[in-house]
Amino acid sequence: MAIKIQQAGEFTGFEQVIRFQEDSSGLRGFLAIHSTRLGPALGGVRLKAYASDADAIEDVLKLSRGMTYKCALAELPAGGGKAVILDHAGMVRDAAFRAFGELVESFEGRYRTGPDVGIHDEDLRNVAKATRWVADESDPRLGDISMHTAIGVWHGLRACLDHTGIRTATVAIQGLGNVGMRLAEIVHREGHSVLAADVDPQRVAQAEARFGARAISPQRITAEECDVFAPCALGGVVNRATIPELRCRVVCGAANNVLESLETGDELRRQGIVYPPDYLVNAGGVIRGGEYFLLNSDDSLPSIEKIYARTRNILRESEQSGEPTARIADRMAESRFRG
Ligand code: NAI
């Protein structure tokens, strides 16, 4: 397979941003390496039908940058990268993911990939046919990445509950996918109530049956009265349009780039809504992947549990200083990866 690679442009603050294409499989996409200053760039691959190449580039830049911040705050010896594959009808899925594996292999470990939105286990198995540098969950030693993410979100969420003094919470989960469904399971097991919204009604029905969840329309979930709004679908859900309608005390979920902008985080703080930064609480998966890849560890649960203390510390600091949590977290991460 012949993969064509070209620089996608110069982007300030990024080490490398490429466009890739493999014609026989229809593979097309972008890969960004934000920083390898602390170690190899970790970051999954996302499959999505983007409206334009500009949208795909914007996504890959935001996501790869977020990975650098996430790894730095999680104290991993790793940096941030990400890949997005453009979903389209002409793509031959198996062959495209094998070709993507070859692309990953060509980075010789400088970029290491894993699952993100739209990726199935089978896709990663195809990637793994061409590269060692993939968190392929068919290795039982690695374990379930999304479960590790959900456990990390839970530690962040319970830190928010302890911070606010909420004992029994109603948690509104937007998106019952790999992480959201597992989070629903934990929240239910821990004795809290689940409100569930997904564009896929079967997933909602499953949450109703398994966790006694109450179904909420996906259009209404941001305006639903609850203790915790847990975005576990896509990013940007806390924005100028949704902030006025939020009726929760805490926003804490798995989605990357929950805030439309840093200013949105400032507004959340003004409204008294507790928000632990997304990349702090959703780091469980990358902590597992990073420790497996880089430290050869068998068990990352103790490291993931540290998300609880980090979240409490940032919430306390924000309360004392008045500075919004997203800005505190950015500063802490930057001081690590910029040295
Ligand atoms: P997924 O693709 O398995 O699940 C997403 C779910 O959201 C699907 O069930 C989908 O039907 C639903 N959905 C899509 N649009 C929706 C809408 N408008 N309203 C309600 N539901 C909607 O993805 P996954 O892996 O669970 O990831 C969820 C989020 O967490 C993403 O933002 C991802 O970047 C982030 N994340 C995932 C990690 C992981 O370990 N899987 C790690 C860190 C972050």
Side-chain angles (χ1 to χ4, degrees):
M1 276 182 245
I3 303 171
K4 292 180 218 152
I5 296 174
Q6 60 184 147
Q7 298 307 318
E10 284 294 321
F11 298 93
T12 311
F14 288 78
E15 287 181 16
Q16 194 176 6
V17 184
I18 61 162
R19 173 196 302 273
F20 55 86
Q21 182 167 342
E22 198 284 314
D23 290 334
S24 67
S25 62
L27 173 72
R28 290 209 305 266
F30 297 91
L31 190 154
I33 294 184
H34 178 254
S35 170
T36 54
R37 185 118 188 243
L38 293 175
L42 305 184
V45 51
R46 173 171 289 194
L47 177 68
K48 191 175 163 191
Y50 288 93
S52 66
D53 280 7
D55 283 0
I57 292 178
E58 191 187 331
D59 210 24
V60 83
L61 294 179
K62 247 183 162 180
L63 290 164
S64 63
R65 183 173 176 275
M67 289 305 297
T68 301
Y69 282 73
K70 191 184 299 199
C71 291
L73 213 59
E75 297 175 25
L76 283 170
K82 201 85 181 186
V84 298
I85 294 179
L86 313 182
D87 200 5
H88 63 102
M91 190 177 85
V92 184
R93 194 158 177 144
D94 288 9
F97 277 92
R98 271 202 308 279
F100 177 70
E102 285 180 23
L103 173 73
V104 173
E105 183 62 23
S106 72
F107 281 87
E108 298 177 338
R110 189 167 152 247
Y111 166 67
R112 306 182 188 197
T113 198
D116 193 65
V117 173
I119 300 297
H120 305 149
D121 293 349
E122 183 62 22
D123 301 327
L124 293 184
R125 278 197 287 276
N126 281 313
V127 176
K129 285 178 186 160
T131 186
R132 292 156 286 168
W133 311 115
V134 55
D136 166 21
E137 292 172 343
S138 59
D139 178 353
R141 216 170 64 79
L142 172 64
D144 176 339
I145 291 282
S146 302
M147 180 51 106
H148 284 85
T149 301
I151 292 170
V153 174
W154 166 247
H155 288 309
L157 201 158
R158 71 185 176 83
C160 296
L161 298 183
D162 288 348
H163 181 80
T164 48
I166 301 171
R167 290 180 156 220
T168 312
T170 301
V171 181
I173 303 182
Q174 179 187 43
L176 296 149
N178 289 322
V179 183
M181 192 69 86
R182 288 163 174 82
L183 180 64
E185 183 178 350
I186 300 171
V187 165
H188 171 66
R189 194 177 62 221
E190 296 291 332
H192 306 283
S193 311
V194 176
L195 306 183
D198 198 293
V199 287
D200 178 349
Q202 282 184 348
R203 290 177 184 245
V204 178
Q206 204 184 328
E208 285 180 296
R210 290 178 59 198
F211 318 124
R214 181 157 64 83
I216 306 293
S217 128
Q219 286 76 35
R220 294 285 312 146
I221 187 87
T222 46
E224 192 62 31
E225 184 158 3
C226 58
D227 296 301
V228 181
F229 169 53
C232 296
L234 293 172
V237 289
V238 175
N239 55 46
R240 270 159 295 181
T242 56
I243 280 199
E245 65 183 23
L246 289 175
R247 289 160 76 206
C248 57
R249 292 176 64 192
V250 174
V251 173
C252 175
N256 284 309
N257 304 320
V258 165
L259 303 178
E260 182 182 48
S261 64
L262 268 179
E263 290 70 32
T264 338
D266 301 347
E267 186 53 33
L268 276 184
R269 155 125 199 114
R270 271 194 291 277
Q271 298 206 5
I273 296 175
V274 169
Y275 168 73
D278 48 8
Y279 62 79
L280 165 62
V281 300
N282 73 13
V286 80
I287 291 173
R288 177 64 205 128
E291 291 196 346
Y292 164 87
F293 266 138
L294 306 169
L295 309 175
N296 203 20
S297 106
D298 284 326
D299 177 13
S300 298
L301 293 179
S303 306
I304 292 172
E305 197 174 345
K306 291 183 184 161
I307 289 175
Y308 175 89
R310 288 193 193 113
T311 305
R312 287 222 70 174
N313 289 342
I314 284 188
L315 295 181
R316 264 192 221 113
E317 187 175 334
S318 172
E319 197 170 67
Q320 283 159 10
S321 66
E323 190 181 7
T325 51
R327 292 185 188 272
I328 297 173
D330 279 8
R331 201 165 24 75
M332 288 169 86
E334 282 160 9
S335 74
R336 264 209 95 214
F337 75 79
R338 290 197 182 135

